[in-house]
Amino acid sequence: DAGGAGIDWSGGGGGGSGEGGDIAGGGSGGGGGGDGLFRVVLLNECQEVSVPVSKLRRKENYLQHRRRLQACAVARIKLKAGTPISDDDVLEVLRVWSFTMNPVRKNVIPEGESWVFSDTMGLVRSRCTGKPVESRLSSDYPDILRLLSAWMRRKCGSKFPGGFPFTSVNLNFGYAAKLHRDGFNVGPSLLTALGDFTGGALGYFPDDDRTLGLEALPPLRRRSVVTKNCFQLIDGKRAHCVEEFQGERFSVVFFSVSSHRKTGDAVRRGLVRKGAVWPTQQSLAKVTSLLKPPRGYTQQRKASPKAAASKRPAAAEGSPPAKSKAGGAKKDAAEEPKPAPVDRYRLLKHPHLALNLQIQHVYTMPVLVRKCKGRIQKITALRRKLMDPETFEPLGPQ
């Protein structure tokens, strides 16, 4: 499904093309057998290739699969080199990796958007059965998970001598997650952000005991936690978000699925071989003890500005100290202004994306996305270009 829309690969014969017409196919191997091959033509390259039926049956973009194999090969080379895995090594792999447009993570998708670039490796919860299963991403591209695990252990080995327990790794690119609480997560999460960007700190409510709705949490009690090029430990079940940023931002989150105890032995052993540090009751208790218990926001008495400033809850480890603010109760209760969303851009120089754009013309985001004709790689490249003010000048909403 090169265009991101459905291709009905029923049986072994016939063929089709996704939205955008990137792949045309014809059956071979007979009867749609899972071990056969499909002969397909990449129309944009005028090239015929053979693709495993298993890939077509799960509607995977062939070009995306090829990019991911390249990222996996880069990771394998770095692992075989035997040198410590650095931030630059991981960033190089993430830049090659092809992200999926994920419309399922409704709790993190920013307002006005319908999907985000987000992939999860390791243990995931089956959306059909609810049971813990291995992600197809870690099954098909195991060296990515091995690289990420080796990198995290090198950077955090002194803080977590036995290794930080995790079953899964979430990879994100190019979006500021809205305020949310993680679901199906035991809580302790180790995360960091990489890339060439400014802003993008983690907005975190360290005293969130989940008695209040997200909209009722006091904005001035939110803490900004710097995650760029450094790991931070948070409780994913407490409310958090990503603050606005400019530039290229990737994030990597290590966590454990709450139903990991129901995992089959074969799946567990396979993920451990790929780098997972399987959580135990003792290891989870140890990392949980590093997080201060939440005090909640409903029981805190209204105090004078000076008392409120002196009794602010502690920020997550690694965040900059908060500045006290003098003022009345009305100031404390005021909500932080939200930046206006950017929906229009003026083209200042050619982005070289073959989108047939004209310099000094103004384009809306939906128009630019439509010009990509559903091609995930092109949309990814477009989003990166939109973050470059020398190429696209943001004009704000119409």
Side-chain angles (χ1 to χ4, degrees):
D1 181 5
I7 301 177
D8 184 12
W9 298 102
S10 56
S17 64
E19 184 180 337
D22 284 329
I23 290 183
S28 70
D35 296 329
L37 296 175
F38 243 85
R39 294 173 60 196
V40 300
V41 176
L42 305 180
L43 298 182
N44 59 338
E45 297 181 8
C46 296
Q47 178 184 1
E48 183 178 294
V49 296
S50 295
V51 182
V53 170
S54 60
K55 301 299 179 191
L56 299 178
R57 290 174 78 81
R58 64 190 174 99
K59 299 182 173 71
E60 177 170 317
N61 182 338
Y62 173 74
L63 299 178
Q64 182 182 61
H65 176 58
R66 188 168 64 181
R67 270 281 292 276
R68 289 174 168 178
L69 285 177
Q70 292 171 356
C72 197
V74 173
R76 190 179 309 116
I77 291 171
K78 293 184 179 298
L79 288 168
K80 288 183 177 180
T83 56
I85 304 300
S86 67
D87 291 357
D88 289 340
D89 291 330
V90 174
L91 185 57
E92 180 181 349
V93 170
L94 292 177
R95 282 171 172 162
V96 179
W97 178 260
S98 179
F99 283 83
T100 298
M101 290 189 296
N102 189 333
V104 177
R105 301 193 64 200
K106 304 292 186 184
N107 61 329
V108 302
I109 297 177
E111 298 296 334
E113 301 286 346
S114 57
W115 52 268
V116 291
F117 285 124
S118 181
D119 293 320
T120 301
M121 293 189 162
L123 197 67
V124 295
R125 179 175 171 270
S126 171
R127 299 192 183 277
C128 298
T129 65
K131 296 179 179 179
V133 296
E134 181 179 2
S135 163
R136 290 294 296 265
L137 296 181
S138 55
S139 174
D140 289 352
Y141 316 103
D143 288 315
I144 302 291
L145 185 56
R146 292 190 180 102
L147 179 92
L148 295 172
S149 177
W151 168 60
M152 183 269 288
R153 291 188 191 215
R154 181 190 70 80
K155 294 199 70 173
C156 303
S158 59
K159 188 172 183 179
F160 306 100
F164 177 79
F166 74 96
T167 64
S168 316
V169 182
N170 180 237
L171 305 176
N172 304 283
F173 169 68
Y175 72 96
K178 69 181 181 181
L179 188 65
H180 68 285
R181 299 181 180 110
D182 291 344
F184 312 110
N185 181 342
V186 296
S189 302
L190 194 62
L191 53 87
T192 186
L194 299 173
D196 184 11
F197 65 93
T198 56
L202 184 78
Y204 182 52
F205 286 87
D207 279 323
D208 176 26
D209 60 359
R210 302 191 293 281
T211 58
L212 294 177
L214 293 174
E215 67 285 348
L217 292 170
L220 295 180
R221 296 289 188 260
R222 192 178 80 185
R223 297 289 173 260
S224 290
V225 182
V226 177
T227 59
K228 185 173 182 179
N229 298 329
C230 62
F231 277 97
Q232 299 288 358
L233 176 65
I234 69 164
D235 183 349
K237 289 187 173 182
R238 305 181 200 184
H240 57 284
C241 63
V242 175
E243 298 176 358
E244 293 298 320
F245 64 90
Q246 294 291 327
E248 169 203 52
R249 185 183 187 274
F250 298 90
S251 68
V252 184
V253 185
F254 294 82
F255 68 99
S256 292
V257 173
S258 54
S259 58
H260 65 274
R261 293 185 182 88
K262 300 178 182 179
T263 308
D265 289 341
V267 173
R268 176 179 55 81
R269 288 194 297 268
L271 288 175
V272 170
R273 283 195 298 270
K274 294 168 187 173
V277 180
W278 207 257
T280 63
Q281 188 173 356
Q282 293 75 17
S283 64
L284 285 176
K286 188 173 182 180
V287 295
T288 301
S289 68
L290 300 175
L291 296 163
K292 293 182 180 180
R295 296 185 296 173
Y297 299 106
T298 57
Q299 301 301 323
Q300 295 177 7
R301 294 181 300 171
K302 291 183 179 180
S304 64
K306 290 183 179 179
S310 63
K311 294 183 179 180
R312 289 191 186 278
E317 191 171 343
S319 62
K323 297 180 180 178
S324 61
K325 292 186 179 180
K330 289 184 179 179
K331 274 191 177 180
D332 288 341
E335 291 191 0
E336 296 174 342
K338 294 183 179 179
V342 176
D343 187 55
R344 298 184 306 143
Y345 298 86
R346 177 180 285 109
L347 184 65
L348 302 181
K349 67 179 183 180
H350 285 298
H352 303 292
L353 296 176
L355 298 180
N356 194 25
L357 304 178
Q358 297 184 34
I359 290 179
Q360 293 301 323
H361 278 223
V362 175
Y363 298 93
T364 63
M365 187 65 176
V367 169
L368 291 171
V369 171
R370 280 199 301 270
K371 285 181 173 289
C372 294
K373 298 181 179 179
R375 298 173 184 172
I376 295 177
Q377 286 78 12
K378 188 162 285 191
I379 294 174
T380 302
L382 171 64
R383 287 208 162 202
R384 289 176 178 169
K385 292 289 186 179
L386 289 174
M387 297 173 188
D388 179 11
E390 295 183 359
T391 302
F392 284 95
E393 177 188 0
L395 299 178
Q398 194 163 5

